Amino acid sequence: MGAKMMLAGILCAVGVWGAQAQSVVNNPDNKAYWGIRTSFDLTMPSKLKISSPDGKISISQSVYDPGAGISTEGVFNIPIVANFYIEPGLGFYYNTMVIKENALEGLKTYIQNLGVRDARITKHSVRKTGMKIPVMAGYHFDFSQNVRLVLFTGPVLDIGFSMDEYVKVNIFNDSFASSMYKARDRYSEDRMQRTNLDWRVGIGVDIHRFFIACNWTAGLTNSYLVAEKNSKDYKIDFRQNYLQFSFGYNFR
């Protein structure tokens, strides 16, 4: 009798464990839900690559240093099969980059030629605002009803609203601003693409519906517009990349 009760207990425990293991990778309670995300963004711009049309001559120059920013997104999680899901979203951002000193040599020379004593550049940055439309495909491992490990990846459409260079000279009260989307004058051209395609990959944890994640977004398209419409003598390639730390909440 005791052996039969022990065997029944073992079988019951194995059945419970099997059901729990099954829910880890195929939770039958999956439902669609909305979520919100707020992210701290670390911008990681690529080097500016200048090459000849045949690719035989190529040089790379670092023009921008990393900067910081913030973004917010709303997402809608749609279960597909097992624990696979699709998650489209819509978000807005404000990001910055630092213009390196070597990219300011022309402006420094101009200031020196003005003959103004003690004039120097004190601040130099790029400030960008825009909208992002991510479409993530992901998978979550449900270790309990309140704890999930999430892996995700997918494309991100980046639509810029503004992208301006700001330079501050100590002897002037205001900063000099120049749009990187619009031509500065009739002798110059637009420099940056407003619309770019990126690719995001990340990992996150959902604990009691609170979501914490880290993801890397790499630029797939060339952000430098001059490369598409400029002379036949050279090509310019520049990519915008981001490292994001996200915090949010899932209404599930």
Side-chain angles (χ1 to χ4, degrees):
M1 183 69 178
K4 290 182 179 180
M5 291 182 63
M6 183 179 295
L7 179 59
I10 293 173
L11 291 175
C12 181
V14 170
V16 171
W17 178 85
Q20 290 178 341
Q22 178 70 10
S23 67
V24 170
V25 296
N26 185 9
N27 191 338
D29 297 327
N30 287 328
K31 296 179 181 178
Y33 61 84
W34 294 93
I36 56 173
R37 311 280 185 263
T38 298
S39 303
F40 169 77
D41 302 344
L42 181 62
T43 58
M44 305 287 287
S46 73
K47 291 183 177 181
L48 210 67
K49 184 179 179 181
I50 305 172
S51 60
S52 59
D54 57 11
K56 294 182 179 180
I57 302 175
S58 178
I59 60 172
S60 295
Q61 182 178 11
S62 182
V63 177
Y64 303 105
D65 279 332
I70 190 171
S71 59
T72 181
E73 287 182 3
V75 300
F76 185 59
N77 189 287
I78 308 169
I80 301 300
V81 61
N83 284 356
F84 286 100
Y85 68 87
I86 296 292
E87 189 176 83
L90 175 64
F92 301 91
Y93 65 87
Y94 169 80
N95 286 325
T96 65
M97 297 184 295
V98 178
I99 305 173
K100 293 180 73 72
E101 292 284 347
N102 64 324
L104 298 169
E105 293 301 328
L107 181 58
K108 290 179 180 179
T109 301
Y110 175 76
I111 293 175
Q112 291 173 357
N113 291 337
L114 291 178
V116 182
R117 296 184 58 185
D118 301 323
R120 65 182 185 279
I121 299 172
T122 56
K123 295 181 180 179
H124 34 91
S125 65
V126 174
R127 305 172 192 178
K128 182 181 179 183
T129 64
M131 174 177 71
K132 290 189 177 183
I133 304 175
V135 181
M136 296 295 105
Y139 191 89
H140 55 84
F141 299 89
D142 297 2
F143 297 108
S144 74
Q145 184 178 359
N146 296 313
V147 179
R148 291 180 171 182
L149 176 67
V150 184
L151 305 176
F152 54 91
T153 187
V156 182
L157 182 64
D158 184 338
I159 302 173
F161 295 158
S162 66
M163 187 174 185
D164 301 322
E165 289 179 321
Y166 283 84
V167 176
K168 172 72 174 176
V169 180
N170 63 323
I171 60 173
F172 301 108
N173 293 326
D174 298 324
S175 298
F176 296 95
S178 173
S179 173
M180 301 182 75
Y181 287 145
K182 298 179 180 179
R184 288 168 288 183
D185 51 51
R186 63 191 180 95
Y187 300 106
S188 62
E189 294 181 306
D190 304 346
R191 288 175 287 169
M192 292 291 180
Q193 299 272 15
R194 281 189 182 271
T195 303
N196 292 281
L197 183 64
D198 306 328
W199 192 271
R200 179 183 296 175
V201 59
I203 183 171
V205 179
D206 183 324
I207 303 176
H208 290 275
R209 300 179 183 174
F210 289 95
F211 186 72
I212 304 172
C214 177
N215 68 73
W216 170 256
T217 303
L220 295 181
T221 54
N222 184 9
S223 296
Y224 221 89
L225 185 64
V226 174
E228 307 298 331
K229 55 187 286 189
N230 206 19
S231 70
K232 300 178 181 179
D233 299 328
Y234 62 90
K235 296 181 180 179
I236 302 176
D237 188 272
F238 174 70
R239 310 297 171 101
Q240 300 178 66
N241 310 308
Y242 307 90
L243 178 64
Q244 291 183 307
F245 300 94
S246 303
F247 305 89
Y249 187 82
N250 294 325
F251 299 93
R252 61 180 179 84

